[in-house]
Amino acid sequence: MRLHRLRGVSLAALACVALTACATTGSNGSNGDDATSTDDGERAALAPGLDYAANPDPFPSTYRGLPRQNMAIVGGTVFTGAGQRIDNGVVIVTDGRVAAVGDASTPVPAGHQVVDARGRFVTPGIIDVHSHLGVYPSPGVQGMSDGNEATSPNTAQVWAEHSLWPQDPGFNAARAGGVTTLQILPGSANLFGGRGVTVRNVPSVTMQGMKMPGAPYGLKMACGENPSRVYGSRNQSPATGMGNMAGYRAAFIAAREYKAKWDKWREDGEGSPPTRNLQNETLAGVLDGSILVQNHCYRADEMAQMIDLSKEFGFRITAFHHAIEAYKLAPTLAREGICADMWTGWWGFKMEALDAVEANAALVDAPPNSCAVIHSDDAELTQRLNQEAAAALAAGRRMGMNIPEERAISWITLNPARSLGIADQTGSLEAGKRADVVIWSANPFSVYARADQVYIDGGLAFDRMNPAYQPLSDFELGQPGYGLAAANVPQGAR
């Protein structure tokens, strides 16, 4: 027991060894910048055309990835995430990217380490599009409750990344469940809760060391009971559904005027630029398409209203989150190109969550061009999103829907990447994409399946059989000489 604890990775003490974010090595010991570096182009991609601010990327990613080597994962059953199942498959990883995916005849390049996956399953890394890890971390105490800036119905000016505590033990637990990427969102007390941030699930001392280079920001919006309950109880607006809609409209009117002033100044250059307004900067980013809308919304009728709102002001909703009644609106969502980010078994905990079906994801998945996503919104559920997807798949099959497993795996891989605007980078095992890979002990839709190895950008981030790749945060290690942690420290080291 003592040995196991001492071999866990402490981020502060071992900040530049194998499992930290400051070291990146390719197969030849290079720094691997071709796969994971943050260059000017990636920074600009965070907010294309958004020059309301002098610096559109004031908190740049410092993510550098984990040490890695070129490898070939051979012999496993591969679900690519893009609709293919390959028995006795081969996945070639070179310089942190997927180089090739194919059957047993796929040649293994010279010098690549061979990883034997016979009898096991290989999938893309799981992506959790709705997480509060780091902003509502463990332990769940008031001093760490940083997810809801519940001081005004419109707090579009706040950014979740400024509350993110990277030592939250939940990140390690999620990684052991195969989660390689997460969107960390603020809470849903407000009409506009603030910006979310997409992170790579690697150990890091700082938020910037986890922040995914080039990933677009998302604006957390919330419709329904939460804003009207929070502010109605304070005798403030909104106190009703109609108050919610009026609040959205007023905010976008102000943002449209703000954007128009900046557009005019950029065009004619006359006088000083308009005074910056952080709240309107975020909403103007929604209007110009550089910031994605991640909309907490349960009921079908309210989703339809939000779609009308988006058309009134000329923006696009990327995803409805929770979306308990998405099955009622599945053809509309597919036609509008809106993802539905859902649970399978969570329902009934408030009025707007009553009209649920377990086959929600399966029904949303049915129309052409649909985007069904399974998400967590929970520090425990994120550890078993594969099981949550399996339950949705089973519910659909009970209704007579013949959904193959190689399609259903996209609910926790490629479709979440679409929901986050990063499907060109991750979410499927396709040539050129980041090598985010999970090797499972069994079929990932089995309750008995566990993640054996988890790779992020080709770097080994978790290994169930090797304690050296089961990192612990400094918080988990505790402080030698105090409390329970002291019991695991040799007497002479205290």
Side-chain angles (χ1 to χ4, degrees):
M1 180 64 178
R2 291 178 178 176
L3 178 61
H4 176 78
R5 294 286 289 179
L6 291 173
R7 290 180 69 184
V9 177
S10 164
L11 298 182
L14 302 176
C16 291
V17 295
L19 287 180
T20 63
C22 69
T24 303
T25 58
S27 58
N28 60 357
S30 68
N31 63 11
D33 285 347
D34 59 321
T36 58
S37 66
T38 306
D39 58 22
D40 291 341
E42 284 178 321
R43 292 181 183 181
L46 286 169
L50 183 63
D51 53 1
Y52 310 105
N55 178 4
D57 185 23
F59 308 100
S61 168
T62 59
Y63 172 73
R64 290 294 181 269
L66 301 171
R68 63 176 187 246
Q69 57 185 344
N70 296 335
M71 63 182 171
I73 303 170
V74 303
T77 300
V78 178
F79 293 151
T80 66
Q84 286 183 292
R85 173 186 175 130
I86 306 172
D87 294 312
N88 195 16
V90 175
V91 178
I92 306 296
V93 174
T94 305
D95 294 333
R97 298 272 176 173
V98 176
V101 180
D103 60 22
S105 65
T106 304
V108 175
H112 279 52
Q113 178 193 23
V114 175
V115 178
D116 186 356
R118 286 177 297 178
R120 300 189 290 170
F121 283 70
V122 182
T123 72
I126 292 176
I127 300 173
D128 190 353
V129 299
H130 193 118
S131 175
H132 300 294
L133 293 181
V135 298
Y136 283 120
S138 301
V141 297
Q142 183 62 38
M144 301 296 286
S145 180
D146 267 0
N148 257 320
E149 183 67 21
T151 55
S152 169
N154 185 353
T155 58
Q157 71 275 12
V158 304
W159 299 20
E161 64 195 66
H162 298 149
S163 283
L164 194 156
W165 187 49
Q167 292 192 40
D168 182 355
F171 288 115
N172 295 332
R175 192 181 310 112
V179 176
T180 56
T181 305
L182 310 96
Q183 178 178 221
I184 309 303
L185 290 165
S188 53
N190 304 333
L191 300 176
F192 302 92
R195 298 194 197 193
V197 62
T198 298
V199 300
R200 310 290 281 154
N201 194 12
V202 297
S204 178
V205 174
T206 67
M207 167 277 295
Q208 292 92 330
M210 302 177 72
K211 190 174 179 179
M212 183 172 182
Y217 282 108
L219 171 63
K220 173 70 173 293
M221 294 177 62
C223 65
E225 293 182 26
N226 284 15
S228 57
R229 182 185 69 250
V230 169
Y231 293 96
S233 66
R234 303 175 187 177
N235 294 318
Q236 295 177 240
S237 182
T240 60
M242 55 188 172
N244 285 352
M245 290 299 292
Y248 304 132
R249 298 179 77 195
F252 277 115
I253 288 170
R256 190 161 58 183
E257 293 175 353
Y258 179 79
K259 181 177 181 298
K261 290 178 181 178
W262 274 95
D263 289 344
K264 183 177 185 302
W265 180 80
R266 285 197 303 267
E267 182 179 344
D268 58 32
E270 295 180 359
S272 300
T275 302
R276 287 180 63 189
N277 179 293
L278 294 178
Q279 190 175 95
N280 283 330
E281 275 184 17
T282 292
L283 296 180
V286 169
L287 295 176
D288 72 20
S290 61
I291 296 178
L292 310 182
V293 171
Q294 308 288 347
N295 197 162
H296 162 118
C297 208
Y298 285 76
R299 285 174 17 194
D301 59 315
E302 292 183 332
M303 293 181 219
Q305 289 183 358
M306 298 303 291
I307 292 171
D308 284 346
L309 175 77
S310 71
K311 292 180 177 179
E312 178 183 6
F313 291 97
F315 65 88
R316 179 176 170 270
I317 297 170
T318 302
F320 286 120
H321 289 239
H322 309 335
I324 290 284
E325 296 183 14
Y327 66 95
K328 299 181 181 180
L329 213 60
T332 299
L333 299 178
R335 184 176 64 250
E336 297 292 335
I338 300 174
C339 295
D341 302 348
M342 299 162 282
W343 301 293
T344 302
W346 283 24
W347 67 280
F349 44 89
K350 53 183 173 177
M351 284 299 298
E352 63 187 2
L354 283 181
D355 206 357
V357 296
E358 284 191 328
N360 197 12
L363 292 166
V364 168
D365 184 72
N369 305 313
S370 62
C371 182
V373 176
I374 299 293
H375 70 359
S376 79
D377 190 27
D378 180 70
E380 294 184 1
L381 186 58
T382 194
Q383 301 170 37
R384 53 180 187 275
L385 283 174
N386 60 311
Q387 295 179 18
E388 191 78 351
L393 174 62
R397 288 177 171 176
R398 286 195 297 271
M399 295 181 65
M401 305 176 72
N402 184 23
I403 304 169
E405 292 173 341
E406 56 266 32
R407 178 172 177 85
I409 200 70
S410 69
W411 301 346
I412 53 176
T413 57
L414 185 58
N415 287 356
R418 292 170 59 189
S419 181
L420 299 182
I422 56 174
D424 61 329
Q425 290 288 312
T426 187
S428 60
L429 300 178
E430 297 180 278
K433 289 194 176 183
R434 294 174 180 267
D436 300 336
V437 188
V438 182
I439 303 177
W440 300 88
S441 63
N443 188 318
F445 293 106
S446 166
V447 71
Y448 299 108
R450 292 190 288 180
D452 282 345
Q453 284 86 31
V454 179
Y455 297 89
I456 300 176
D457 281 319
L460 184 57
F462 174 80
D463 189 328
R464 188 163 59 92
M465 278 69 77
N466 188 346
Y469 291 90
Q470 298 169 12
L472 299 174
S473 73
D474 286 345
F475 175 81
E476 291 174 286
L477 288 173
Q479 187 170 3
Y482 292 89
L484 294 176
N488 294 318
V489 178
Q491 184 69 35
R494 296 183 188 176

